[in-house]
Amino acid sequence: MKLIYSVKKIALALVVMGLSVSCQQNTTETASKTKEHQVFPYTMPTEKPDFPLSASANRMFDYPAPRAQDNELFSQFKYTRLKGFDYNGGDGTITRRDPTRPIKVGDTYYLWYTKRHTKVRPIGWNNAAKATDEIPSTDWDLAEVWYASSKDGFTWEEKGVAIKRPEKPKSGWRSVCTPEILIWKGKYYLYYQAFDEPSGLKGDLCPVSISYADSPDGPWTHGGDAVIPFGKEGEWDHKATHDPFPIVHDGKIYVYYKSAYNKWPDNRKNYAVGHGLAIADDPLGPYTKHPLNPVMTSGHETTYFPYKKGIAAIIYKDGNERETVQYAEDGVNFKVMSKISLVPVAAGPYTPDAFTDTKDGRGITWGISHFINAGENGNRHSIIARFDCDLSLDYDERGFKDTGVWHKPEVYFKQGLGKLRQHPEGR
Ligand code: AAL
């Protein structure tokens, strides 16, 4: 009996001991959990903290720096009106748009762009069937590629036409526009869109042509048509290759280009925009399209520049990732690096290292872009302008790193409500 009693006592003691050990363990676990639950610090960490973070706090460390102000790929954009270009009093008969990157040869900058100088203003692409040899459909119909030079990038002298429209039926007889420049092995190459019908007739449909010269002043020799092949029927880029943008990368010519898809001929309002990449060993081709095209699914006109080992892009207007700067070390798989405001449209950044096959791209501080809504009272036309920024590893000015952009209230009020919210049910 006594033995049984002792055994019971020992068992009870063991249970009590066990309970107390488990209690101690729980306390220790709670303590260590409390230790893990650290609060985000007041001083911004430079590295991602090693404790649980919200999705948003996590994403801060996906950018080049957690604060936009410290992010080399974040910038404000400041604009200056260019001197030296006449627009016929802004009556809509002269347009300049879609500028190339400025390049510097000796002590002179050169720039190419679309120039339309017609007797009348464009009648719009919905009226393209009524366009004639003298009446343009769109702002870039009946246009040619012109060029200008400058000593300081602010005051320009228009030098004349670089690429004329060829005789019908040669490709581009209707319009040659939207150029971009490449320097390769001592020669200059102009890529441009070549239209064989008024834009808007069946779409904004055209391929890319190319011409080359020994000097930025020309003369330009025709080097080929449709150099960036269209996709097959039903593919996203099956009828248009726009905005060709060449960069020398990995010893090859990388040409980014745009195609608007999901649109023509009968779905005009529901378009999407993609950028493809076509690669060649020689500017005249042949070009092979990257199998992962489109490599960029936001943006409109193409603006790319060498950055560190890879390529960065300024992404404007269309898509979920519009108004961003993006970067891809391989030039293919881009990621968002910053969100930007007052984004330069159709920007051509000054990038001498676009032609040097650099593995140490330094970024950009200025370039030329366009505004498509110059002119008053329906005399809509485009002007080219200078933008300045700090997307450069070699330049730092705090004024470009402010995150606020303050428009006057008039800019907001001017958006107006128009016909919106006029639904009968008042929705
Ligand atoms: C632009 C560019 C292409 C289009 C038209 C003229 O800004 O995207 O060039 O075809 O609009």
Side-chain angles (χ1 to χ4, degrees):
M1 188 67 188
K2 209 172 176 186
L3 183 65
I4 291 172
Y5 178 72
S6 299
V7 169
K8 272 189 178 166
K9 247 172 113 181
I10 290 168
L12 186 67
L14 282 176
V15 168
V16 170
M17 270 171 66
L19 270 178
S20 96
V21 167
S22 114
C23 269
Q24 271 172 21
Q25 266 174 1
N26 278 347
T27 324
T28 324
E29 268 169 28
T30 315
S32 78
K33 267 192 192 142
T34 313
K35 203 169 154 213
E36 270 173 26
H37 179 79
Q38 292 181 44
V39 173
F40 200 85
Y42 176 75
T43 303
M44 178 61 82
T46 47
E47 301 288 321
K48 189 187 278 199
D50 188 19
F51 53 80
L53 296 172
S54 70
S56 175
N58 242 304
R59 279 202 305 278
M60 281 207 293
F61 299 90
D62 292 346
Y63 295 96
R67 292 183 351 127
Q69 296 91 324
D70 308 320
N71 180 347
E72 294 281 12
L73 285 179
F74 168 76
S75 181
Q76 289 262 7
F77 296 88
K78 309 281 183 191
Y79 294 86
T80 311
R81 199 179 281 277
L82 298 180
K83 290 199 181 121
F85 292 116
D86 171 56
Y87 287 96
N88 228 4
D91 67 358
T93 58
I94 298 183
T95 221
R96 290 183 187 81
R97 58 180 293 147
D98 291 299
T100 64
R101 292 172 286 218
I103 60 164
K104 197 171 190 184
V105 183
D107 63 353
T108 305
Y109 294 107
Y110 288 85
L111 175 73
W112 292 261
Y113 45 87
T114 301
K115 182 179 179 188
R116 174 184 56 78
H117 188 175
T118 45
K119 288 187 185 150
V120 293
R121 301 191 314 243
I123 52 174
W125 62 16
N126 289 336
N127 298 317
K130 295 187 195 134
T132 68
D133 286 351
E134 294 193 329
I135 303 176
S137 59
T138 58
D139 197 29
W140 56 95
D141 186 26
L142 295 176
E144 294 182 321
V145 176
W146 282 57
Y147 80 115
S149 70
S150 170
K151 294 289 182 208
D152 62 4
F154 290 95
T155 300
W156 293 83
E157 184 193 344
E158 191 158 73
K159 309 281 282 186
V161 66
I163 310 289
K164 283 190 176 145
R165 289 191 281 141
E167 291 295 307
K168 197 173 178 177
K170 287 187 183 157
S171 191
W173 66 266
R174 178 72 199 184
S175 193
V176 285
C177 66
T178 320
E180 192 49 78
I181 187 78
L182 169 75
I183 306 174
W184 174 259
K185 297 189 177 164
K187 279 195 170 18
Y188 300 85
Y189 293 83
L190 274 174
Y191 295 68
Y192 46 92
Q193 296 180 196
F195 282 92
D196 294 343
E197 62 180 30
S199 162
L201 203 58
K202 294 194 283 292
D204 192 33
L205 308 181
C206 66
V208 168
S209 291
I210 193 165
S211 292
Y212 57 90
D214 290 325
S215 144
D217 291 301
W220 295 91
T221 304
H222 181 249
D225 294 318
V227 288
I228 314 288
F230 285 168
K232 293 194 204 82
E233 187 69 26
E235 293 178 352
W236 73 284
D237 57 351
H238 75 163
K239 280 185 180 145
T241 44
H242 290 169
D243 302 272
F245 198 98
I247 287 190
V248 180
H249 187 70
D250 280 347
K252 296 184 187 289
I253 321 288
Y254 275 40
V255 177
Y256 295 92
Y257 65 94
K258 179 201 91 189
S259 204
Y261 58 106
N262 197 46
K263 180 177 185 181
W264 303 98
D266 47 15
N267 194 16
R268 297 184 180 203
K269 288 203 172 124
N270 294 321
Y271 80 122
V273 171
H275 292 173
L277 171 61
I279 302 173
D281 292 321
D282 185 272
L284 300 185
Y287 282 86
T288 306
K289 292 208 231 168
H290 199 280
L292 298 184
N293 281 349
V295 296
M296 179 66 73
T297 58
S298 289
H300 197 88
E301 294 95 349
T302 45
T303 300
Y304 289 78
F305 58 91
Y307 188 76
K308 294 187 175 170
K309 287 186 189 151
I311 292 181
I314 293 177
I315 294 304
Y316 154 69
K317 194 166 87 71
D318 296 302
N320 283 317
E321 293 176 351
R322 71 199 170 281
E323 310 204 328
T324 57
V325 176
Q326 303 204 20
Y327 174 72
E329 192 166 304
D330 60 1
V332 173
N333 292 290
F334 286 88
K335 286 190 183 145
V336 174
M337 295 287 120
S338 74
K339 312 273 160 54
I340 47 177
S341 309
L342 284 184
V343 185
V345 178
Y350 176 60
T351 40
D353 55 6
F355 315 118
T356 59
D357 197 10
T358 183
K359 289 283 166 282
D360 183 25
R362 306 308 298 171
I364 61 167
T365 58
W366 71 281
I368 306 293
S369 58
H370 75 200
F371 295 106
I372 60 166
N373 55 350
E376 297 296 331
N377 308 320
N379 294 336
R380 206 168 130 137
H381 67 100
S382 305
I383 60 171
I384 49 176
R386 172 170 167 137
F387 68 90
D388 281 80
C389 61
D390 174 9
L391 293 172
S392 163
L393 294 166
D394 300 324
Y395 181 85
D396 277 308
E397 195 169 325
R398 297 315 291 174
F400 283 113
K401 298 289 180 184
D402 286 343
T403 51
V405 177
W406 305 109
H407 296 295
K408 287 286 184 198
E410 284 66 35
V411 173
Y412 293 87
F413 292 136
K414 211 173 170 185
Q415 306 304 308
L417 203 45
K419 292 204 170 90
L420 298 172
R421 308 220 181 272
Q422 300 286 310
H423 195 275
E425 284 100 54
R427 277 190 284 135

